[in-house]
Amino acid sequence: MPAIDLSHMDTSVRPADDFFRFANGKWVERTEIPAEEPVWGGFSEIRDRNLEVLRGAAEEAAEGGAAAGSVEQKVGDLWTTGMDEAAIEAAGLGAIAPELGLVAGLTDRAGLPEVLARLHRARLFPGFVTVVRQDPGDSTRNIVWLQQGGLGMPDRDYYLKEDERSREIRARYVAHLARMAELAGDGADDARYAAATVLTLETRLAHASMTRVDQRDPYKTYNKVSLAQLAERAPGFAWSAYLAAWGARVEEVNARQPAFFAELARAFADVPLEQLRTYLRWHVLRALASALPRAFDLESFDFNSRVLQGVPQQKPRWKRVLESMDQRIGEELGQLYVRRASSPEAKRRVLELVDDLRGALRERILALEWMGEATKRQALRKLDAFAVKMAYPDKWRDHSALALDRHSYARNVLRANEWATDRDIAKLGTPVDRTEWLMSPQTVNAYYDPLMNEIVFPAGILQPPFFSPDADDAVNYGAIGMVIGHEMSHGFDDAGSRYDADGNLKEWWTKEDRAAYEARQDLVVRQYESYEPLPGQRINGKLTLGENIGDIGGIKIAWAAFQRMLERRGPQAPIDGYTPEQRFFLGLAQSWRNKIRDEALRVRLNIDPHSPAIQRVIGPLSNMREFHEAFGGGPDAGMWRPADARPTIW
Ligand SMILES: [Zn+2]
């Protein structure tokens, strides 16, 4: 695989007019999104390769002979039950009889806290979501987080917006709810009534839900309250009884969206029990559809993928089973993945890049004109404290308490879910485990965690087109370099900058510097709101602000690190007619090659804090003097932005 694939490029376009097309135009022309996918691109190609590796690992593990309790036994058993469609059909809804029985047995409102707690323990989440995370006010402690939820559509807006497309999706959703109720045994009239019941209650919750933009605000979503305060502010539901039944002996929780919990508790007190049962049953079926007979699975695909995202065809079962396994036993699957696919060479070299980028960011912070000395000192303290996790965990998590067998896929899924809840509960009152990973090693992604103040790069993304040991440095610094710089920038984006070096939500900025930063953020918001990826639908500049800051900063940091590397190793000759500077930008843009269905793009514009791939390339590069210089762009170029409209942050 060449580092830069010349056959992807459309050189009939002037690079400074539309660099995404220049780098990827021919690829875009000849690539068809596979019928089973909402989107296709560099990320998807790696994900597909990883799935093939995982399939091999799972099949081998399933052949038998693995020691009881071993990773191979658990992977093999979950895989085998997941692939056994005949057994799933034969079991029917009997496989989840305990959960359905729990809901049907709710005949006294006083029993609601316990029923809800037991469903939540199995990670079936009607109403809201309960997890254990660090306390943003004291990152050395773990506390219970209560998060708004309980909706079957992707966001509150889907219930509340009145445009034609939103109304159409709502109508399709009601039909979907009714069909699921029929599959669960309701007659046509009951099913229609069930659908209306669910839509009414979810719409009520949607009204009380915090917007996605507000949810990005670390202060708005930090509401640590004692259980007595919670009972006072969200009366109508026995929170203490709920938490005790869930398994947490705690005195306080972080109830992240206070208005939501107040309304939810009111609803739990005044909605007729028979309607609450209908709502709970829907969320049990919805969450487990992929482990139920084909009719449920297909119905779920039909609404969530076909209607919402325009995907014509369901993925083959083996991919869906592996994706479900990845969510539940991702790290156990990951042990098998790492043995087959991880490269110590990639790990070592990308760690070098991280060092280079950290040094470059340090210099950039020192040179910032808009930030005062006091804030700079704190920023550097935070940067120096960044922990780095690369490829896969040094220490694998303990899976001895997870019992899986070859009897029932749904039961295995539920056991794995409860195991995750037990792991959460065990974190309460114990020191924060800094070795824990939030992504599995095979994940094609990376993250910054503000509470841990760490950047994490799973082995999954350390592959072409993001990193290749055979590529020239320019291409690697542009591709994986941007990813690394992006994650580092998250430590200092509009939300990440609210946390200090120790991961505590604590202001370490002077007032003047914070104000100067916010003025720069406004420029970023305005820039991205000028992009209209779909006719009539612009990017939400506030929703995507943190990611855009990450992209803009990330590319600059990667560029600065690349310059340091060139100084160290001396000038490099052009390859295929492109200078190292040009190849840096080509490597970056080709790693983001991407095609997406309009419907899928619309969903992402509504809910995804990331800008679409095209703007992730165009936006930051338009702001860069070095890009315009490398490709001879001037004021007449399509991507030109006047100097005073270019946000410079990091
Ligand atoms: Zn990000």
Side-chain angles (χ1 to χ4, degrees), residues 331 347 388-397 435 437:
E331 201 168 303
K347 178 172 174 171
V388 182
K389 290 177 177 165
M390 188 62 69
Y392 53 87
D394 295 328
K395 179 189 106 191
W396 298 106
R397 69 188 179 193
T435 68
W437 284 53

Side-chain angles (χ1 to χ4, degrees), residues 16 36 61 122 142 305 328-329 402 405 419 453 498 513 564:
E36 62 200 47
N142 288 310
S305 298
R328 296 184 169 81
I329 57 165
L402 171 65
D405 58 34
W419 174 60
N453 193 27
R498 303 281 178 182
D513 290 343
R564 287 159 59 106

Side-chain angles (χ1 to χ4, degrees), residues 255-578:
R256 301 187 75 215
Q257 300 87 4
F260 174 84
F261 285 105
E263 184 59 26
L264 178 74
R266 255 194 300 278
F268 281 161
D270 68 31
V271 171
L273 262 188
E274 146 275 310
Q275 295 186 6
L276 284 179
R277 283 195 298 268
T278 299
Y279 170 74
L280 297 178
R281 182 187 67 171
W282 151 242
H283 277 277
V284 169
L285 295 173
R286 168 180 188 267
L288 292 171
S290 65
L292 292 177
R294 180 126 188 89
F296 288 91
D297 190 25
L298 266 181
E299 178 54 39
S300 173
F301 161 78
D302 190 69
F303 179 74
N304 292 299
S305 298
R306 208 172 56 79
V307 171
L308 277 179
Q309 309 202 60
V311 179
Q313 194 181 306
Q314 198 181 25
K315 267 185 210 176
R317 182 158 191 94
W318 68 269
K319 287 190 182 177
R320 288 180 281 127
V321 169
L322 283 174
E323 284 167 355
S324 162
M325 289 170 70
D326 189 47
Q327 282 171 31
R328 296 184 169 81
I329 57 165
E331 201 168 303
E332 290 64 39
L333 201 51
Q335 296 186 39
L336 306 183
Y337 172 81
V338 161
R339 270 182 232 158
R340 285 171 166 75
S342 107
S343 142
E345 163 77 354
K347 178 172 174 171
R348 190 183 60 74
R349 287 199 37 203
V350 178
L351 275 170
E352 260 174 36
L353 260 103
V354 170
D355 280 344
D356 261 8
L357 266 88
R358 199 201 292 248
L361 178 53
R362 168 170 262 281
E363 278 175 16
R364 290 188 68 84
I365 290 172
L366 281 168
L368 285 180
E369 284 166 17
W370 58 271
M371 188 187 271
E373 291 307 316
T375 310
K376 279 185 186 175
R377 265 197 305 281
Q378 296 299 320
L380 292 179
R381 193 170 95 76
K382 178 162 183 175
L383 178 65
D384 292 340
F386 270 9
V388 182
K389 290 177 177 165
M390 188 62 69
Y392 53 87
D394 295 328
K395 179 189 106 191
W396 298 106
R397 69 188 179 193
D398 177 6
H399 57 87
S400 53
L402 171 65
L404 299 174
D405 58 34
R406 295 213 172 181
H407 297 306
S408 159
Y409 185 45
R411 296 323 305 167
N412 275 345
V413 163
L414 286 160
R415 273 189 221 123
N417 288 0
E418 291 196 25
W419 174 60
T421 303
D422 286 338
R423 280 204 321 273
D424 254 12
I425 291 169
K427 290 180 198 167
L428 290 165
T430 56
V432 170
D433 178 4
R434 305 200 77 89
T435 68
E436 196 186 11
W437 284 53
L438 302 183
M439 282 180 185
S440 67
Q442 56 274 17
T443 307
V444 189
N445 206 338
Y447 67 93
Y448 170 76
D449 181 343
L451 292 158
M452 291 281 196
N453 193 27
E454 67 180 7
I455 46 178
V456 185
F457 305 92
I461 199 171
L462 310 181
Q463 303 182 51
F466 290 96
F467 175 80
S468 163
D470 310 321
D472 46 313
D473 288 317
V475 170
N476 281 330
Y477 275 77
I480 196 77
M482 170 189 172
V483 175
I484 298 167
H486 172 100
E487 301 309 337
M488 285 184 174
S489 299
H490 272 319
F492 302 97
D493 73 19
D494 61 318
S497 66
R498 303 281 178 182
Y499 298 84
D500 69 9
D502 305 312
N504 293 317
L505 194 52
K506 199 165 125 195
E507 186 62 292
W508 47 271
W509 294 59
T510 63
K511 270 207 172 59
E512 303 75 57
D513 290 343
R514 178 61 73 185
Y517 188 16
E518 281 171 358
R520 280 168 169 73
Q521 290 171 20
D522 287 344
L523 273 184
V524 179
V525 172
R526 279 211 293 279
Q527 178 183 356
Y528 283 81
E529 285 188 342
S530 74
Y531 299 130
E532 192 175 333
L534 279 175
Q537 196 163 359
R538 288 173 186 275
I539 291 178
N540 180 336
K542 289 205 170 88
L543 177 63
T544 56
L545 176 59
E547 296 299 335
N548 296 335
I549 292 175
D551 287 342
I552 294 169
I555 292 174
K556 291 210 169 163
I557 300 161
W559 175 268
F562 170 54
Q563 295 305 306
R564 287 159 59 106
M565 190 279 300
L566 284 180
E567 273 166 35
R568 237 176 18 238
R569 293 190 198 158
Q572 298 184 359
I575 301 176
D576 296 329
Y578 294 104

Side-chain angles (χ1 to χ4, degrees), residues 103-360:
V103 171
L106 177 66
T107 50
D108 173 2
R109 200 177 293 271
L112 180 60
E114 178 167 354
V115 168
L116 212 53
R118 286 173 64 185
L119 296 176
H120 285 186
R121 281 191 51 77
R123 303 233 150 178
L124 312 170
F125 284 119
F128 60 101
V129 175
T130 304
V131 290
V132 174
R133 296 273 181 277
Q134 283 158 277
D135 179 351
D138 175 3
S139 67
T140 64
R141 295 182 59 226
N142 288 310
I143 59 169
V144 169
W145 288 27
L146 306 179
Q147 308 191 123
Q148 73 180 30
L151 306 181
M153 288 197 282
D155 187 68
R156 70 195 295 279
D157 284 356
Y158 284 79
Y159 296 83
L160 307 178
K161 278 166 86 171
E162 283 301 333
D163 59 281
E164 199 183 322
R165 171 80 183 156
S166 300
R167 285 212 303 270
E168 183 200 326
I169 289 180
R170 226 144 44 223
R172 307 287 289 268
Y173 183 54
V174 170
H176 169 55
L177 289 167
R179 272 196 296 273
M180 288 291 270
E182 280 187 49
L183 289 173
D186 285 5
D189 287 346
D190 286 349
R192 260 199 306 278
Y193 177 69
T197 298
V198 170
L199 186 72
T200 303
L201 179 50
E202 289 188 353
T203 305
R204 181 172 170 183
L205 298 183
H207 270 290
S209 296
M210 200 181 262
T211 65
R212 282 184 190 264
V213 169
D214 280 346
Q215 286 196 72
R216 290 198 58 252
D217 185 326
Y219 284 104
K220 282 186 182 153
T221 51
Y222 182 42
N223 297 285
K224 192 161 71 171
V225 288
S226 70
L227 294 193
Q229 284 169 322
L230 184 60
E232 202 177 292
R233 291 172 199 183
F237 181 69
W239 295 102
S240 301
Y242 162 80
L243 283 159
W246 188 71
R249 273 189 210 89
V250 293
E251 264 124 52
E252 56 186 11
V253 296
N254 179 18
R256 301 187 75 215
Q257 300 87 4
F260 174 84
F261 285 105
E263 184 59 26
L264 178 74
R266 255 194 300 278
F268 281 161
D270 68 31
V271 171
L273 262 188
E274 146 275 310
Q275 295 186 6
L276 284 179
R277 283 195 298 268
T278 299
Y279 170 74
L280 297 178
R281 182 187 67 171
W282 151 242
H283 277 277
V284 169
L285 295 173
R286 168 180 188 267
L288 292 171
S290 65
L292 292 177
R294 180 126 188 89
F296 288 91
D297 190 25
L298 266 181
E299 178 54 39
S300 173
F301 161 78
D302 190 69
F303 179 74
N304 292 299
S305 298
R306 208 172 56 79
V307 171
L308 277 179
Q309 309 202 60
V311 179
Q313 194 181 306
Q314 198 181 25
K315 267 185 210 176
R317 182 158 191 94
W318 68 269
K319 287 190 182 177
R320 288 180 281 127
V321 169
L322 283 174
E323 284 167 355
S324 162
M325 289 170 70
D326 189 47
Q327 282 171 31
R328 296 184 169 81
I329 57 165
E331 201 168 303
E332 290 64 39
L333 201 51
Q335 296 186 39
L336 306 183
Y337 172 81
V338 161
R339 270 182 232 158
R340 285 171 166 75
S342 107
S343 142
E345 163 77 354
K347 178 172 174 171
R348 190 183 60 74
R349 287 199 37 203
V350 178
L351 275 170
E352 260 174 36
L353 260 103
V354 170
D355 280 344
D356 261 8
L357 266 88
R358 199 201 292 248

